[in-house]
Amino acid sequence: MKAFAYVNPTTEKEAVGALGTDKTKVMPLAGGQDLLARMKDYLDQPDRIVNVKNALDSTIAATPDGGLKIGAAVKIVDLAEHAQVAKLYPAMVHAAGEVGTPQIRNQGTVGGNINQRPRCWYFRNEEFVCFKKGGNTCFAPAGENQFHAIFGNGPTHIVHPSSLAVPAVAYGAKFRLVGPNGERIVDAAQYFTMPTMQNVRYENVLAADELFTHVILPPPGDVKHGHYEVRYKASHDWPIAFATVILAMNGNRVGSARVVMGAVAPVPWRAQAAEQALAGKTIDEQTAAQAAEAALTGARPMSQNGYKVQVAKTAVKRAILQAAGIKTV
Ligand SMILES: Cc1cc2nc3c(=O)[nH]c(=O)nc-3n(C[C@H](O)[C@H](O)[C@H](O)COP(=O)(O)OP(=O)(O)OC[C@H]3O[C@@H](n4cnc5c(N)ncnc54)[C@H](O)[C@@H]3O)c2cc1C
C-alpha cells in the first residue's frame, strides 16, 4: 500500500478544511470497510485520508417538524436498533438490520454506507480499467453481468450498493452536505446520479471538497411501510434486488404510494408506474402483482441477469403486501 498522510480532525470545519479538490488524492475515512479494502486492492491510492468519525455527528435527533436527523457518523447497528427510527421509519431500520453481518454493522457508518463505491467485480479488480477508473469501456455488457443493472442504458452498468439509500429515497429524505462555502441540502433522490460520460467516475453529486453530514427524514405522516430484500445468502451478502414501499392510505384505498427498488440500477430506482398502478386501489395479491409488473416495465437485462427481473418483481410485490399487513411467505 502506498504511504499516505492521516488527518484526525475533531470538528466538521477542520474535516472540510483537510479535504482537497481532487477526489482521487484526498478521501474521507469513516468505518473504513470500503475505503481500506479499495486501498488494499490498489484501486485507490490517496495521498491523504481524513478520518471523519470524530468530526461528524454520531447522534440521531428529532427535528422541530417531527422528523429525524441522522448523523453521518452514526453506526449502522445503532440505526438498526434505534426505537424512534423503528417507530417512524421501519423500512430504514429493516434495511439497516440486513446490511452485511453484525461485524459490518458494528463498524460501518451511515455516511460510509451511502457513499460506498460500487461492488462491480470489474471495478473491484485492478486489472480491469473500466470507465470508473478512467478507462474507456464498461466490461459488464460483454462479460459476467449476473449482478449488474437491469435499468439504465450505460455507459456503466453498476448497481448502487447502498441498502440505506433506497428507504432514504422512499421516505423523501434530504441529505446535508458541507463544504468550504457552507452547507447545502440535497434531496436524496437527486443525490445519486445516473451515469453519463461527464460524470461516469462517481455515483453522486458530492464534490471533492464536501462532506456528507446528515440524513434528514421528514415527518412520515400516517403511512404504511414495506421493505423486502432478496439475497442468495441470508447474511454476509448484498441483496440481488430489494424494494421499499410507502403507502399513504385513504380509508382502505391507497391515496399515494412511493415504490423504490434497490440493486437494479446505478441509483435507487423509483418505480412511478407502480406508484400509479397502486393509486386508488385496495391492496390484495392481484393489485400488488399488477403494480410489481408495472415496476419492472422498461427493464433492459443483459445476457446473464434476466433472472433479476422476476426477483425484483417479487421484492416489490412482497413489500407492497407487507405494507398492507398481508402476510407473505
Ligand atoms: C460481506 C459484505 C456484505 C455487505 N453487505 C451489504 C449490504 O447488504 N448492504 C449494504 O448497504 N452494504 C453492504 N456492505 C457494505 C458495507 O455496509 C459498507 O462497506 C459500509 O457500510 C461502509 O461504511 P464505512 O463507514 O465502513 O465506510 P468507509 O469505508 O469509511 O467509506 C466508504 C466510502 O464513503 C466515503 N465516505 C465515508 N464517509 C463519508 C462522509 N461523511 N462524507 C463523504 N464521503 C464519505 C469514503 O471516502 C469511502 O469512499 C457489505 C460489505 C461486506 C464486506
Side-chain angles (χ1 to χ4, degrees):
M1 209 198 273
K2 193 187 93 177
F4 55 86
Y6 178 77
V7 188
N8 193 13
T10 53
T11 65
E12 198 177 276
K13 198 167 170 208
E14 273 173 28
V16 169
L19 297 174
T21 51
D22 183 342
K23 278 191 181 185
T24 66
K25 296 215 160 83
V26 186
M27 298 181 184
L29 170 75
Q33 298 180 96
D34 174 27
L35 178 58
L36 297 185
R38 287 180 357 238
M39 289 167 69
K40 288 177 185 173
D41 287 345
Y42 303 104
L43 304 181
D44 284 302
Q45 304 202 6
D47 296 334
R48 182 162 75 238
I49 66 176
V50 180
N51 175 26
V52 296
K53 286 188 295 300
N54 303 315
L56 298 184
D57 189 4
S58 59
T59 68
I60 299 177
T63 54
D65 63 359
L68 285 182
K69 196 172 176 187
I70 302 169
V74 168
K75 291 194 170 177
I76 298 169
V77 63
D78 294 328
L79 179 64
E81 294 177 357
H82 197 277
Q84 194 63 1
V85 184
K87 187 171 159 208
L88 297 177
Y89 311 99
M92 188 61 107
V93 158
H94 187 151
E98 288 208 35
V99 167
T101 62
Q103 292 89 338
I104 290 164
R105 298 192 289 275
N106 275 326
Q107 179 70 14
T109 63
V110 169
N113 182 274
I114 288 173
N115 289 284
Q116 64 178 297
R117 303 298 317 275
R119 295 289 155 173
C120 167
W121 42 39
Y122 295 111
F123 172 68
R124 294 273 159 178
N125 184 328
E126 64 165 325
E127 308 280 326
F128 289 90
V129 184
C130 66
F131 279 132
K132 289 208 167 282
K133 289 181 282 194
N136 60 7
T137 192
C138 172
F139 292 93
E144 297 281 330
N145 52 44
Q146 347 6 5
F147 300 117
H148 287 81
I150 54 173
F151 286 101
N153 195 17
T156 57
H157 298 267
I158 60 129
V159 294
H160 200 279
S162 169
S163 293
L164 301 183
V166 169
V169 170
Y171 281 118
K174 293 180 188 300
F175 294 158
R176 178 178 179 267
L177 317 179
V178 65
N181 301 320
E183 67 171 29
R184 62 183 177 124
I185 307 289
V186 180
D187 281 340
Q190 307 303 321
Y191 183 71
F192 305 100
T193 46
M194 283 299 282
T196 65
M197 283 315 294
Q198 286 68 45
N199 69 10
V200 71
R201 288 196 70 160
Y202 294 100
E203 295 79 46
N204 56 52
V205 299
L206 191 76
D209 59 0
E210 287 182 312
L211 283 174
F212 178 103
T213 72
H214 290 91
V215 175
I216 304 166
L217 289 158
D222 185 15
V223 293
K224 293 176 181 290
H225 324 241
H227 184 87
Y228 198 93
E229 302 193 2
V230 184
R231 282 177 171 73
Y232 271 114
K233 300 179 289 207
S235 178
H236 208 271
D237 205 359
W238 279 263
I240 297 168
F242 64 109
T244 302
V245 170
I246 311 294
L247 303 176
M249 302 302 289
N250 196 349
N252 66 351
R253 291 181 184 275
V254 175
S256 64
R258 292 284 288 240
V259 179
V260 184
M261 290 183 281
V264 296
V267 298
W269 191 260
R270 187 160 168 204
Q272 277 164 319
E275 296 172 2
Q276 282 155 17
L278 289 170
K281 304 273 172 45
T282 53
I283 302 292
D284 56 25
E285 283 269 346
Q286 196 188 352
T287 48
Q290 282 164 350
E293 197 66 38
L296 274 296
T297 311
R300 299 162 57 108
M302 293 180 282
S303 55
Q304 297 167 358
N305 66 359
Y307 76 101
K308 284 183 87 167
V309 173
Q310 183 56 47
V311 175
K313 268 185 208 170
T314 301
V316 171
K317 180 182 166 193
R318 291 186 183 176
I320 295 168
L321 292 174
Q322 192 192 86
I326 299 171
K327 206 166 163 30
T328 58
V329 287

